[in-house]
């Protein structure tokens, strides 16, 4: 089994880290324990040139970083393979209203990426952003993609996000068929996004038969693996395509805690207002402080489209597990920020002595974690694995929080 994160971004995308280059992305992926990584931004000319120069074939449709570009990594395990991916932003009008939908594209090789970029160039400036804005209908994008390569895949990205997800409250579509029309059967998988998890999607019978995927949408190498897929079989494009299209070879997904994501509840960030769906409805969808429209969150939108009760589980549902980044676990135990020097130092010690981040989070004996990092980290990790963690909900672009240890527990651990 290996872990895959297919939706990421390079430093050519807006609001991304300067270190989102191939050497650092591959280094961080190995540090995290990711076996297959999307390249991201495959429509950007300069990024594709870097992919051509720095990658070498490592199997059918997958690549490896050339040795000359690799950074020394003390974490055991193989360096990740890479598969060609990219995200695009389609902006258009349909049925008298504006639509804006993000899509993840997965391609069989770099030649297909070159051909796709040539076909997309008339619809937007591909040099302006690693995730380009295209004046192109979603259905037409899918038709064009399949013309370039029938083996390529279009995966609607973070489908519940209010402003850019296919089923988001502001997008205007209530189903895949409404968006893609006659080509809807060509969509075989969707991305849940940080603000939703499989149990939320199981409530919507219209999504039955689709493979549910999870990826980080990382804008910095350190954010890789916030969400990911668990895959079995060969690390090559045919096996990946089979898993994504049919579910055969998908062992499950790794999920964030959706309640703590940026768009879970309804709210208005400027006024500090966070409301449940029932509370938002009671206020007519408007902020009770300023009267402006609320941003309708994912929990509310799922409830609007659901035709099954909460707790429903399909008989063929894939398993999933909820995790936080290792840095978040360590920071929670220390009572400091993820960016603090103490957090980074202790994370490095754990990674150097025990193995990759996903090994530590998922399988490392707590006794080993305790011996390296102390009681606080072991306790926090044990609670994370058990799912025994309260969340403060996020809303309107503001992350919530997951509380692994209480302030009193942190103070007691400090002595």
């Amino acid at each position: 089994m290996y872990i895959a994160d297919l939706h990421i971004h390079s430093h050519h995308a807006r609001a991304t880290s300067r270190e989102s280059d191939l050497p650092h992305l591959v280094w961080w992926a190995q540090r995290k324990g990711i076996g297959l990584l999307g390249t991201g931004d495959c429509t950007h000319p300069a990024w594709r040139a870097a992919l051509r120069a720095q990658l070498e074939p490592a199997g059918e449709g997958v690549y490896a970083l050339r040795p000359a570009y690799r950074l020394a990594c003390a974490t055991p395990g193989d360096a990740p393979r890479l598969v060609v991916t990219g995200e695009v932003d389609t902006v258009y009008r349909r049925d008298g209203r504006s639509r804006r939908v993000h899509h993840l594209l997965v391609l069989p090789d770099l030649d297909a990426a070159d051909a796709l970029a040539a076909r997309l160039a008339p619809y937007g400036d591909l040099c302006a952003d690693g995730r380009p804005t295209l004046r192109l209908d979603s259905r037409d994008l899918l038709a064009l993609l399949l013309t370039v390569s029938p083996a390529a895949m279009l995966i609607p990205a973070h489908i519940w996000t209010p402003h850019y997800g296919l089923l988001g409250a502001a997008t205007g579509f209530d189903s895949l068929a409404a968006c893609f029309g006659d080509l809807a059967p060509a969509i075989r998988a969707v991305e849940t996004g940080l603000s939703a998890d499989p149990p939320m999607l199981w409530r919507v019978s219209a999504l039955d038969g689709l493979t549910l995927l999870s990826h980080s949408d990382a804008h910095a190498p350190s954010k890789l693996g916030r969400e990911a897929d668990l895959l079995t079989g060969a690390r090559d494009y045919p096996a990946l395509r089979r898993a994504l299209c049919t579910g055969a070879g998908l062992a499950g997904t790794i999920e964030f805690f959706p309640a703590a994501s940026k768009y879970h509840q309804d709210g208005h960030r400027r006024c500090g207002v966070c409301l449940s769906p029932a509370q938002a409805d009671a206020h007519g969808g408007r902020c009770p402080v300023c009267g402006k429209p609320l941003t309708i969150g994912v929990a509310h939108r799922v409830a609007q489209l659901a035709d099954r009760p909460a707790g429903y589980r399909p008989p063929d549902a894939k398993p999933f597990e909820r995790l936080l980044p290792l840095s978040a676990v360590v920071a929670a135990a220390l009572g400091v920020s993820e960016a603090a020097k103490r957090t980074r130092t202790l994370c490095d010690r754990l990674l150097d002595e025990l193995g990759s981040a996903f090994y530590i989070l998922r399988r490392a004996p707590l006794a080993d974690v305790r011996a390296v990092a102390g009681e606080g980290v072991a306790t926090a990790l044990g609670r994370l694995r058990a799912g025994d963690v309260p969340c403060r909900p996020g809303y309107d672009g503001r992350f919530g929080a997951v509380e692994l240890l209480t302030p009193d527990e942190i103070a007691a651990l400090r002595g």
Side-chain angles (χ1 to χ4, degrees):
M1 183 181 296
Y2 65 91
I3 294 172
D5 186 358
L6 304 181
H7 185 172
I8 76 163
H9 289 285
S10 76
H11 59 89
H12 292 287
R14 293 177 183 172
T16 54
S17 167
R18 293 181 180 179
E19 289 196 343
S20 293
D21 55 28
L22 283 168
H24 286 93
L25 287 167
V26 166
W27 186 87
W28 273 98
Q30 183 169 347
R31 198 81 158 153
K32 298 262 186 174
I34 294 169
L36 184 66
L37 186 67
T39 63
D41 299 355
C42 68
T43 58
H44 194 281
W47 186 239
R48 285 203 318 283
L51 298 177
R52 290 278 188 190
Q54 298 179 33
L55 299 181
E56 59 186 7
E60 188 174 352
V62 294
Y63 301 83
L65 189 64
R66 296 181 188 276
Y69 294 97
R70 294 176 191 169
L71 303 176
C73 183
T75 305
D78 296 334
R81 299 290 184 261
L82 291 97
V83 63
V84 181
T85 66
E87 184 185 18
V88 298
D89 174 14
T90 54
V91 180
Y92 55 99
R93 291 190 66 82
R94 172 97 72 81
D95 300 327
R97 65 176 295 177
S98 296
R99 316 283 181 162
R100 188 163 197 167
V101 188
H102 286 188
H103 305 287
L104 174 65
L105 310 180
V106 186
L107 300 167
D109 51 42
L110 287 170
D111 289 341
D114 288 340
L116 177 64
R119 294 289 302 275
L120 293 180
Y123 301 101
D125 184 356
L126 303 186
C127 297
D129 191 350
R131 182 188 61 205
T133 298
L134 305 175
R135 301 293 175 180
L136 185 63
D137 189 290
S138 296
R139 183 209 172 276
D140 296 339
L141 170 67
L142 177 56
L144 187 153
L145 177 69
L146 295 177
T147 299
V148 168
S149 174
M153 293 172 280
L154 186 152
I155 300 168
H158 41 72
I159 62 168
W160 296 103
T161 302
H163 304 295
Y164 309 115
L166 189 151
L167 299 179
T171 305
F173 294 119
D174 290 344
S175 68
L176 269 68
C179 181
F180 294 106
D182 60 311
L183 292 183
I187 302 297
R188 302 305 309 144
V190 294
E191 187 181 69
T192 61
L194 295 178
S195 297
D197 60 10
M200 298 170 72
L201 276 71
W202 294 339
R203 297 185 60 196
V204 183
S205 64
L207 301 177
D208 288 354
L210 295 170
T211 306
L212 306 185
L213 304 172
S214 295
H215 309 118
S216 68
D217 196 0
H219 284 224
S222 62
K223 301 298 184 182
L224 292 175
R226 289 187 299 184
E227 293 198 323
D229 306 319
L230 297 170
L231 298 171
T232 61
R235 279 191 298 171
D236 60 24
Y237 191 82
L240 175 68
R241 188 176 189 278
R242 183 167 56 252
L244 270 53
C245 290
T246 70
L250 178 71
T253 55
I254 293 171
E255 307 284 337
F256 186 65
F257 287 79
S261 66
K262 293 196 295 184
Y263 293 105
H264 188 71
Q265 292 285 45
D266 303 345
H268 190 200
R269 178 172 50 182
R270 187 169 184 176
C271 295
V273 171
C274 176
L275 302 175
S276 69
Q279 291 171 324
D281 286 341
H283 288 284
R286 293 190 170 272
C287 175
V289 175
C290 70
K292 293 183 178 179
L294 296 166
T295 296
I296 301 303
V298 171
H300 198 161
R301 183 60 174 157
V302 170
Q304 289 175 341
L305 298 185
D307 54 359
R308 291 167 174 157
Y312 174 83
R313 184 185 181 94
D316 58 348
K318 299 287 185 180
F320 70 95
E321 52 192 280
R322 294 191 179 97
L323 291 179
L324 292 171
L326 180 62
S327 58
V329 176
V330 171
L334 297 177
V336 297
S337 74
E338 288 189 60
K341 183 177 180 180
R342 290 177 62 200
T343 300
R344 297 197 305 271
T345 299
L346 191 50
C347 282
D348 287 343
R349 188 186 309 161
L350 282 163
L351 291 163
D352 290 343
E353 296 192 25
L354 297 185
S356 72
F358 275 124
Y359 168 74
I360 295 167
L361 290 169
R362 301 175 66 229
R363 301 198 307 273
L366 292 181
D368 292 350
V369 174
R370 185 177 294 107
V372 175
E375 183 62 40
V377 174
T379 299
L381 182 54
R383 289 180 182 175
L384 175 65
R385 291 177 179 177
D388 182 21
V389 286
C391 295
R392 184 179 74 245
Y395 64 97
D396 195 19
R398 176 177 290 173
F399 274 107
V402 177
E403 187 178 82
L404 294 173
L405 295 174
T406 67
D408 287 346
E409 287 174 321
I410 294 171
L413 288 166
R414 287 174 175 171

